[in-house]
Amino acid sequence: MIYLDYAATTPLDKNVIKAMAPFFDKKYGNPSSIHALGREAKNAILHSRKIWANFFDVSRSNIIFTGSATESNNLAIRGLFRSLKLKHKFHNLESFHAITTLIEHKSVLETFHDLERNEGLKVSYIKPDQRGVVSSANINNAIKKNTVLVSIMYVNNETGAIQPIAEIAKAIKDLRFKIYDLRKRDTKYPLRLVRPAKRVETYASSETSDILNTEYPLIHSDCVQAVQFYNCDLKKLGVDFASASAHKIYGPKGVGVLAARDIQLIEPIITGGWQESGLRAGTENVAGIVGAAKALEIAEKSRKSGLLKITNLKKKLLSGIMKVHDIGTVNGSQNFCAPHILNYCFKGIDAQSLLIYLDLNQIAVSIGSACCAGTIKPSHVLSSIGLSDQDAKNSIRFSLGKYTTENDIKKTLSILKNILRKMRLKDKN
Ligand code: PLP
């Protein structure tokens, strides 16, 4: 099998399996138990927490292990609104406004839709440009007096488009004085106002960042597709929350991470025991958490070389595709794109059939469409960057990873050439 679907999931790295193995049999203690086996499991989690805390540059107590990035995104968004509701004794979220984008993963979009439908939250969905990139000016223009959260992903999972998170965060922080004045004039502003102490250039260099960042809007970034390739330091990005998933970086499925500038900003969405500082009840997935940290360590060590290798392989794949189907186009821009994703519109070719033919030839790719109730809907991401339904249905996502070889690319191109020829012939007859 030639696997070109690394954005969907990645195989476990052998060293990750090795690190996890003892926690399935010998080291099976419950981290909440006081005895030696329990302490051993607890220490293993502590070590993993340290590794993720270093990566996001937050203190260990601000790392929460969850069951998926879907859950991490839910915890950041719902957890913040739950905290605001409880602290201010509101019955619903009608007083608040949030901003997100049209290209977010469903775990973010559907969470906002739900809060809109059931709690009265007002949400602005920002459209990206044709490259798939959201501008900081458009985000700033959407900020209202009662905006409390901006959620924007770092790397899009369908097009690979990189979002200018640091620029967006800085622009929001520069706006603080204006926001403060707007709020001061608004007698209905629902929260206690904290005046920004002084104008600061960056979050990282600010001695007064604690005071400044008690001010809203807070910023959340879904960093799932970025962790493998980019620095996701919360302070450098200027964000308050970031989500990650182990199975996108050669770690196990079922382990998510939420990094917070300060966990006091959120309330739990799962209640029960006091695991994860009371923010995520339930006995920890010890083996999974150990595996997630090992995967991150490996990713950090091989970041530069991996990025270079995958960038080169993607270039070869794209130039080969353009030779076998020269009327197609790249969806999004290659200049603002993560190295592992290539989304290509094979104009005139039904992507679903192409995917099936590739699959029959042992090549795994994906289409940027979701299957809803038996009908294939065009991808919301491709639609938002201006593709027609037809072009979206002609689009395939190739995503490369650390086990992709030059031979894989050569073989894929040769098989693709044959399939496309057959499909065109079939169409003619
Ligand atoms: N966010 C992005 C950008 C993703 O690509 C994915 C997975 O496809 C998720 C969130 C959800 O991750 P998980 O599978 O851990 O729930």
Side-chain angles (χ1 to χ4, degrees):
M1 168 71 81
I2 297 176
Y3 186 72
L4 295 176
D5 201 15
Y6 282 82
T9 196
T10 56
L12 279 174
D13 185 295
K14 287 205 169 45
N15 287 316
V16 171
I17 301 178
K18 224 161 118 186
M20 291 171 71
F23 293 89
F24 289 114
D25 52 12
K26 290 187 198 75
K27 303 183 178 184
Y28 54 83
N30 183 326
S32 297
S33 300
I34 292 164
H35 51 65
L37 269 177
R39 291 199 306 277
E40 183 177 51
K42 192 176 179 170
N43 284 336
I45 292 181
L46 205 70
H47 179 68
S48 302
R49 202 184 297 291
K50 205 160 94 186
I51 290 166
W52 279 96
N54 281 343
F55 175 67
F56 282 119
D57 195 14
V58 295
S59 67
R60 271 178 273 172
S61 57
N62 286 321
I63 291 290
I64 305 143
F65 290 115
T66 65
S68 61
T70 296
E71 189 190 326
S72 302
N73 287 340
N74 270 267
L75 178 57
I77 300 166
R78 290 182 193 278
L80 172 68
F81 285 111
R82 188 151 183 260
S83 157
L84 289 173
K85 256 172 85 174
L86 287 172
K87 270 184 203 144
H88 301 281
K89 299 196 171 56
F90 292 135
H91 296 297
N92 57 39
L93 299 174
E94 280 169 5
S95 319
F96 296 118
H97 173 248
I99 298 172
T100 189
T101 78
L102 286 172
I103 55 168
E104 297 302 308
H105 187 262
K106 289 281 178 194
S107 55
V108 168
L109 282 178
E110 288 304 319
T111 302
F112 278 117
H113 289 163
D114 180 55
L115 294 175
E116 246 181 327
R117 264 193 313 264
N118 296 312
E119 301 256 22
L121 178 69
K122 314 282 184 305
V123 186
S124 299
Y125 298 91
I126 307 300
K127 193 173 154 52
D129 60 20
Q130 275 190 332
R131 302 168 305 170
V133 179
V134 172
S135 89
S136 94
N138 287 349
I139 299 271
N140 268 15
N141 289 339
I143 290 182
K144 299 182 185 192
K145 287 179 282 192
N146 57 343
T147 309
V148 284
L149 179 64
V150 175
S151 179
I152 173 159
M153 69 196 329
Y154 196 166
V155 168
N156 181 264
N157 50 305
E158 288 192 36
T159 62
I162 302 168
Q163 306 305 316
I165 302 293
E167 188 190 319
I168 289 170
K170 182 174 184 306
I172 290 175
K173 267 140 207 171
D174 285 347
L175 244 191
R176 280 183 191 286
F177 276 81
K178 205 172 139 200
I179 298 173
Y180 176 77
D181 288 340
L182 271 171
R183 285 174 184 159
K184 216 166 66 171
R185 272 183 259 130
D186 178 13
T187 50
K188 286 198 200 121
Y189 181 66
L191 303 177
R192 191 175 67 86
L193 266 183
V194 180
R195 193 179 200 296
K198 60 175 179 177
R199 203 175 283 276
V200 286
E201 280 312 305
T202 64
Y203 176 103
S205 66
S206 162
E207 283 171 9
T208 54
S209 60
D210 280 351
I211 302 167
L212 280 172
N213 285 292
T214 55
E215 261 289 42
Y216 299 93
L218 299 178
I219 305 167
H220 163 248
S221 184
D222 174 343
C223 292
V224 167
Q225 296 288 347
V227 171
Q228 182 69 21
F229 300 107
Y230 304 116
N231 182 314
C232 295
D233 181 320
L234 253 70
K235 294 190 184 102
K236 283 206 180 110
L237 287 179
V239 304
D240 302 281
F241 303 101
S243 311
S245 180
H247 76 100
K248 308 287 183 177
I249 60 165
Y250 309 90
K253 292 170 183 60
V255 189
V257 181
L258 179 67
R261 178 172 57 75
D262 179 0
I263 54 166
Q264 306 279 352
L265 293 162
I266 52 174
E267 284 288 324
I269 55 171
I270 295 174
T271 48
W274 197 249
Q275 292 91 351
E276 299 301 297
S277 312
L279 281 170
R280 208 279 181 168
T283 301
E284 298 90 336
N285 173 2
V286 184
I289 290 170
V290 167
K294 190 71 193 172
L296 179 62
E297 272 186 326
I298 297 168
E300 293 212 84
K301 270 189 203 139
S302 54
R303 176 156 290 142
K304 258 196 190 153
S305 56
L307 199 137
L308 203 71
K309 180 194 147 188
I310 294 171
T311 304
N312 284 332
L313 287 176
K314 187 170 77 167
K315 268 190 201 151
K316 286 186 179 149
L317 177 65
L318 176 59
S319 72
I321 289 176
M322 281 160 68
K323 277 185 200 142
V324 295
H325 192 80
D326 58 2
I327 55 165
T329 45
V330 175
N331 295 324
S333 151
Q334 282 308 295
N335 294 335
F336 297 90
C337 190
H340 62 313
I341 297 178
L342 171 64
N343 199 314
Y344 194 80
C345 173
F346 289 86
K347 279 190 193 290
I349 300 287
D350 177 53
Q352 215 192 343
S353 309
L354 179 54
L355 180 142
I356 292 166
Y357 284 125
L358 285 168
D359 187 35
L360 289 171
N361 282 278
Q362 303 289 305
I363 298 173
V365 296
S366 109
I367 40 177
S369 332
C371 190
C372 300
T375 60
I376 302 292
K377 280 192 176 178
S379 141
H380 68 282
V381 175
L382 298 185
S383 301
S384 78
I385 62 171
L387 262 74
S388 65
D389 283 3
Q390 194 51 54
D391 280 352
K393 284 180 180 172
N394 290 165
S395 295
I396 292 269
R397 179 187 71 181
F398 300 87
S399 50
L400 286 60
K402 68 177 178 182
Y403 302 123
T404 308
T405 63
E406 203 147 338
N407 203 29
D408 288 342
I409 301 297
K410 270 191 200 147
K411 257 183 158 170
T412 302
L413 288 169
S414 141
I415 290 168
L416 189 62
K417 188 175 170 184
N418 282 335
I419 293 173
L420 289 170
R421 203 183 48 220
K422 279 183 197 152
M423 285 178 82
R424 287 186 203 113
L425 270 177
K426 212 171 149 206
D427 277 354
K428 271 190 197 158
N429 296 330

